[in-house]
Every structure is written in structure tokens, then in C-alpha cells.
Amino acid sequence: MKKFAMVAVAAAAMTVGVAHAYTAGTFSNGVVVPNVIHNGLADTTAVGLVNQSGATKAVFWTFFDQDSKHVTDGCFTMTDKDYQPFVWANESGLGLEGQRGYLVFSVGGATCANSTPGTGAIAAHAFQVTTASKDVAYIPVIDGTLTFASGADLKTLGADSLTKVAGAAPVGNLLNMRYYLQDGAKTNIVVWSTGNQKGRHTVDIFDDKQNRKSVNFDLAGEELDWFDPSTIAGRPANFVDGFIEWNTANAATTAGAATTAGLAGSVFSYSVIDAPAFGAVQTVLGFHKAPPAPVCAGEHFGRC
């Protein structure tokens, strides 16, 4: 696929109209940055936030690892119309170099003394800055509204505290995740969810000629994973440009048995494509749609 065609795919992913679309660039009570990592200031995730709440708001942030375990957190206040830069290499503290995870930014009260989830209007953008290659790669930010479990405290969020993110896809949708491996290109696919996605998932992989094959991919993290589709066992060697279709309603399997836990609430995916022809890393959102309605075996008075 030519460079311009890949750019068109990225644009279509951002603007496609569906019954429930990803949302980006809107204001709500918080956001999720689904893939965060740093290896010092030369390679770090950078976030920028804007407050349009009409008042000063405390913004609480929490960094979770790939299994959604709380690692570290903090809080800062933003006045109305304020812009706040947040460079992860500066904010993470010691010992987190190379640790992948995700960030949740959520509005509390007027000061950091009030850590009850509140109302407000903040928005954010994010990039991965790599100075060695002079590259700045776009990271999709998942807009709220953020839904928290009853009694959640923004200072002590845990794996079960965030139950739904309005800007992501609802679990049960079909995800179409792009891969591009042609002419030395590399792809990594990011999957983030509010449920336990860990395990083996049976999916269909398609090439750019509509050929299909059933394969599996393994997610090692419970709520965030980053995997290389070129390593999928059974992928035909000539499947170098296409997409993976995953029905997120299907439970993962571990050692041949369905897991007791599964995805719940919200799910989100995007692909990071590094192709020599591009000269820069490209970010492509995964498409999503509701699964097809079940086939009715028989109908009686308009009902199956």
C-alpha cells in the first residue's frame, strides 16, 4: 500500500460515522491515555491538558501497569482556561524506565484535598516523543465521561475503580485492527480495556485481497497489551497488509479453558506502524462496530 493510501486509512478511522464512535477532543470529567512509557526524556510520553470547566479544578492522575495495578499517582490544580503540560519522564519518579502502563486523569473537587470524583470539563492530547529519531508519534486519548465504581477515591484508584469510558467502544463490538508488514514495515497493536483481557483470543485475519484465516493472538496484560501481529502463529507469509477482526464478546481461553473473568465495559485499540517508506511512525485507530444480529431460525408474529 502506498504512503498516501495509509494516510487515507488513518483519516477514515478518525472520521467514520457509526452508532457508537470513538470520541476525541471533547471535554468531560476525565480522560485515559491508554499507552504510556518512558526511557528518560529522550523517549517519553508527553500529555497536554486544557481546563474549560469555568472554575478551578483539581486533576488527579494515576499510572497503572498493564495488569491495571496502581503504581503511582498525583494531583495538580488547573484554573479555568489553563493549559497543563505533563511529561511522563518528569512526573513518574524513579524506577519506572521501560515500564509500560496507562494514565487516568480525572476531575476531583476545587483542590487536591477533595478526591471524590467530580464534574468538570477537561480534555487532553498525547504524543510519544523520541528525540533520537526526531519523531513525535500521536497517541490517541480516550475521552470520558469516566464512570467509577461506587465509593471510588481518586487518590487510591485500583483495578476495579474505573468501570467504563464513554469514548471507547463497548465490549461486544467487533474490532478491526490494522497491520502492515510489507517491505520491512513493523506493526504493534495496542489493546486497552476496563476488563480482564488476558489470555488467548481466536480471531480472523484478513489480507488486502479479502482472504481470511482463523488464528489466535495472546494478550499477556489484563487491561493493556502491546503485541506484534507478525509473530501470530499460522499467519500466511503473504498476509502483510490487512486487518485482524476480533469479536470482543468472546471470552479468552487459558490452557484450553475459558477464563472466568473477561472484558467488561469498554475496549479500545490502535496500531503503531513503523514503515521505512513513511520516514516516521504512523498511528492508526482500530475500527469498531456492533456485531451482526443473530440469524432467526424461524419467525412467529414478527418475533423469533
Side-chain angles (χ1 to χ4, degrees):
M1 182 178 286
K2 300 298 183 184
K3 178 176 180 179
F4 294 113
M6 283 298 299
V7 173
V9 168
M14 291 291 290
T15 60
V16 64
V18 293
H20 177 103
Y22 294 142
T23 57
T26 63
F27 290 88
S28 69
N29 68 335
V31 299
V32 175
V33 183
N35 184 33
V36 174
I37 192 169
H38 86 84
N39 290 286
L41 280 171
D43 180 17
T44 184
T45 305
V47 184
L49 301 101
V50 173
N51 177 26
Q52 289 280 12
S53 302
T56 298
K57 293 290 181 178
V59 178
F60 290 81
W61 62 267
T62 304
F63 177 73
F64 295 92
D65 69 11
Q66 291 181 247
D67 290 322
S68 207
K69 292 183 174 61
H70 178 287
V71 178
T72 187
D73 62 74
C75 178
F76 52 84
T77 57
M78 297 182 69
T79 56
D80 188 41
K81 309 294 185 184
D82 191 11
Y83 172 78
Q84 176 75 34
F86 186 96
V87 178
W88 179 231
N90 288 335
E91 302 292 342
S92 66
L94 299 176
L96 290 180
E97 294 84 353
Q99 180 166 341
R100 193 174 302 278
Y102 67 94
L103 280 164
V104 177
F105 293 90
S106 37
V107 174
T111 71
C112 291
N114 185 349
S115 57
T116 301
T119 59
I122 64 170
H125 60 71
F127 300 92
Q128 189 69 26
V129 180
T130 308
T131 57
S133 58
K134 297 182 179 180
D135 195 21
V136 179
Y138 168 68
I139 298 175
V141 173
I142 312 173
D143 287 359
T145 302
L146 307 183
T147 301
F148 293 99
S150 177
D153 185 334
L154 298 180
K155 291 189 298 185
T156 57
L157 295 180
D160 300 322
S161 299
L162 182 63
T163 60
K164 182 180 178 182
V165 183
V171 167
N173 269 206
L174 297 178
L175 286 185
N176 284 188
M177 304 178 291
R178 284 282 287 122
Y179 68 90
Y180 185 67
L181 307 170
Q182 193 167 307
D183 300 326
K186 298 177 182 178
T187 297
N188 282 287
I189 296 176
V190 176
V191 180
W192 178 89
S193 72
T194 57
N196 186 352
Q197 63 192 27
K198 187 174 183 177
R200 174 159 294 183
H201 299 267
T202 300
V203 296
D204 287 328
I205 187 169
F206 292 84
D207 68 1
D208 57 352
K209 298 177 180 61
Q210 297 178 281
N211 297 307
R212 181 198 69 86
K213 191 176 184 189
S214 179
V215 292
N216 298 282
F217 67 77
D218 296 309
L219 297 180
E222 291 188 6
E223 295 197 7
L224 168 64
D225 223 301
W226 163 276
F227 74 93
D228 179 356
S230 72
T231 64
I232 292 176
R235 176 185 64 87
N238 62 343
F239 276 42
V240 294
D241 187 6
F243 65 94
I244 298 168
E245 185 166 87
W246 173 27
N247 186 343
T248 61
N250 295 336
T253 60
T254 302
T259 57
T260 54
L263 272 70
S266 304
V267 62
F268 188 83
S269 179
Y270 68 94
S271 301
V272 179
I273 300 173
D274 186 356
F278 295 174
V281 175
Q282 304 292 309
T283 302
V284 181
L285 284 177
F287 301 96
H288 70 95
K289 68 171 185 172
V295 177
C296 183
E299 188 170 318
H300 183 65
F301 296 112
R303 295 183 294 179
C304 291

